[in-house]
Amino acid sequence: MRFAFFDAKPYDKPSFERYGAENGIKFKFYETKLTEDTADLARNCDGVCVFVNDTLDANVLEKLADLDCKYIALRCAGYNNVDLKAAANCGLRTAHVPAYSPYAVAEHAMALLLTSVRRIHKAYIRTRDFNFSLNGMTGFDLHGKTVGVVGTGRIGRVFMDICRGFGMNIIAYDKFPIKDSDINYVSLEELLAKSDIVSLHCPLTDETRHLINCETIKLMKKGVVIINTSRGALIDAECLLDGIKARQIGAACLDVYEEETEYFYEDLSGHILNDDILARLISMPNVIVTSHQAFLTEEALSNIAETTVMNLNQMHDGKPCPNELIWKDGEIVHGTQK
Ligand code: NAI
């Protein structure tokens, strides 16, 4: 099989080339993202291999179907950028990589939190300049603080384990709580009211879009630290900025941003950033932004390539593919297409 691999980065190639070669799959790497204008690169391919910021709306999917593509291989967990209903209507089969390293993302969330509360980002810059002053560097202990975890799936649970190691009190909210678990579930309102730190680990859906908005920010403790390693649009960025300016939000740790598609993963140093909200957020001393890198560990890259290749072979060989995303009766089900 041949696949057009969009939004390719140098770190993607070694693992995909290796697993592809071992399994009879050739990936053609393109740096460009998949859009209506670039879809034609998938001509003579069995499908496309895509990432979080590629566009797979109805127009793009129809184009891919016209080119006789059969498969969409998402090399990520989230699939909010794919119109799965349109894919099904076009006869395109889609699979994702639901888990590759929950540790990578959960550890990154904790790295951001520690960096923020202990001002490591400031200290690193200061000492490089031989500035050994500690003024303005006072942090706070994580021990004894309450962390509210929204979404108790794979990543959220690993993050809770890490927080437990720090001696934090953990409360959680999930629309689908795990039955008979020892997780201390509360309502979203209670979580927001009681948490010193709120960490988002739920998917982006119509329901969770702008979960953190001007109203919910008002429910939070003054000085709350917000961590988002899930999807940017879980937070209304303008409200976040207002909350920071009003000192209601003490710090924000963001690996994702609502309008990241145009900026993240690109070297834009020397350019003028057109997004005023992102520029203002980055300028804040209490905001840390990383460029959707929480997944980026060697273990995760290897698992992503291995699972993507496995998904493609399973679908192509007519075997059960548990990672397939099927649009059925108006909702998404996981499993095997009959
Ligand atoms: P998961 O599917 O294991 O867990 C998601 C949890 O969210 C589930 O327990 C689910 O019941 C819950 N949930 C669903 N709807 C909800 C709602 N309306 N309110 C509250 N909770 C809700 O997913 P996993 O693997 O833990 O990943 C979580 C998210 O992390 C993904 O959706 C993805 O967007 C993001 N992610 C980010 C990465 C990065 O590099 N920054 C890498 C991988 C994933």
Side-chain angles (χ1 to χ4, degrees):
M1 285 192 284
R2 275 163 69 90
F3 281 82
F5 191 110
F6 288 92
D7 205 6
K9 301 290 180 225
Y11 50 77
D12 289 318
K13 291 183 189 173
S15 49
F16 273 90
E17 273 173 347
R18 177 157 62 89
Y19 284 107
E22 286 171 8
N23 290 278
I25 296 179
K26 175 129 185 71
F27 292 103
K28 291 201 74 188
F29 296 98
Y30 296 108
E31 282 180 25
T32 181
K33 290 187 182 66
L34 174 59
T35 63
E36 222 178 316
D37 294 335
T38 61
D40 210 45
L41 292 168
R43 192 176 290 279
N44 299 325
C45 289
D46 296 276
V48 293
C49 183
V50 292
F51 198 49
V52 293
N53 291 325
D54 288 302
T55 304
L56 293 114
D57 59 17
N59 289 341
V60 171
L61 294 165
E62 276 164 25
K63 264 197 150 171
L64 293 176
D66 287 347
L67 293 171
D68 276 341
C69 287
K70 295 174 198 69
Y71 306 109
I72 296 161
L74 285 158
R75 52 182 194 278
C76 52
Y79 43 84
N80 51 284
N81 55 333
V82 187
D83 184 337
L84 286 166
K85 185 181 176 186
N89 288 341
C90 295
L92 285 158
R93 295 177 68 180
T94 309
H96 71 147
V97 183
Y100 32 91
S101 174
Y103 309 102
V105 183
E107 288 171 16
H108 191 78
M110 181 48 88
L112 288 173
L113 177 60
L114 283 171
T115 303
S116 172
V117 301
R118 301 312 304 270
R119 317 281 188 260
I120 306 296
H121 54 309
K122 297 277 159 205
Y124 176 76
I125 292 166
R126 271 195 199 179
T127 55
R128 285 176 76 84
D129 208 19
F130 305 141
N131 174 355
F132 301 108
S133 159
L134 292 183
N135 294 340
M137 301 291 254
T138 312
F140 62 80
D141 291 3
L142 290 182
H143 185 271
K145 295 293 183 301
T146 297
V147 59
V149 176
V150 181
T152 57
R154 282 167 287 246
I155 296 169
R157 291 203 302 278
V158 174
F159 184 70
M160 288 195 283
D161 283 344
I162 295 172
C163 291
R164 213 165 281 128
F166 277 80
M168 303 173 81
N169 304 318
I170 302 160
I171 54 177
Y173 167 72
D174 196 302
K175 192 180 174 195
F176 309 100
I178 302 166
K179 289 195 183 90
D180 303 324
S181 73
D182 58 0
I183 297 171
N184 184 9
Y185 284 110
V186 296
S187 67
L188 182 61
E189 290 71 26
E190 188 176 344
L191 180 143
L192 297 176
K194 287 191 172 162
S195 298
D196 301 295
I197 295 138
V198 173
S199 195
L200 304 177
H201 299 288
C202 59
L204 176 64
T205 62
D206 288 344
E207 208 174 340
T208 60
R209 183 175 298 275
H210 289 183
L211 183 92
I212 304 298
N213 55 48
C214 293
E215 295 311 311
T216 51
I217 286 173
K218 282 188 202 141
L219 302 176
M220 295 186 191
K221 271 189 174 179
K222 195 170 167 64
V224 63
V225 179
I226 299 178
I227 310 168
N228 189 6
T229 55
S230 270
R231 284 292 179 268
L234 293 176
I235 299 181
D236 182 327
E238 215 166 334
C239 292
L240 179 74
L241 186 57
D242 289 344
I244 292 167
K245 286 204 267 188
R247 292 10 179 214
Q248 169 72 3
I249 293 167
C253 305
L254 310 174
D255 186 50
V256 285
Y257 172 67
E258 198 171 356
E259 302 295 337
E260 70 182 45
T261 317
E262 227 181 290
Y263 309 106
F264 281 18
Y265 303 123
E266 307 302 332
D267 179 359
L268 299 175
S269 50
H271 292 253
I272 290 165
L273 200 66
N274 287 327
D275 188 316
D276 287 352
I277 295 177
L278 180 59
R280 188 78 171 100
L281 282 170
I282 289 173
S283 78
M284 294 283 183
N286 51 354
V287 175
I288 299 178
V289 174
T290 53
S291 179
H292 208 140
Q293 76 173 69
F295 74 99
L296 194 61
T297 65
E298 284 184 12
E299 291 81 356
L301 288 175
S302 179
N303 289 340
I304 288 169
E306 190 179 12
T307 307
T308 304
V309 166
M310 182 189 76
N311 291 343
L312 291 173
N313 275 335
Q314 285 172 342
M315 291 195 291
H316 187 64
D317 297 345
K319 292 184 182 151
C321 178
N323 296 332
E324 184 168 359
L325 299 164
I326 303 166
W327 182 264
K328 203 174 172 191
D329 303 330
E331 58 179 330
I332 300 155
V333 294
H334 300 249
T336 312
Q337 188 157 291
K338 294 272 182 292

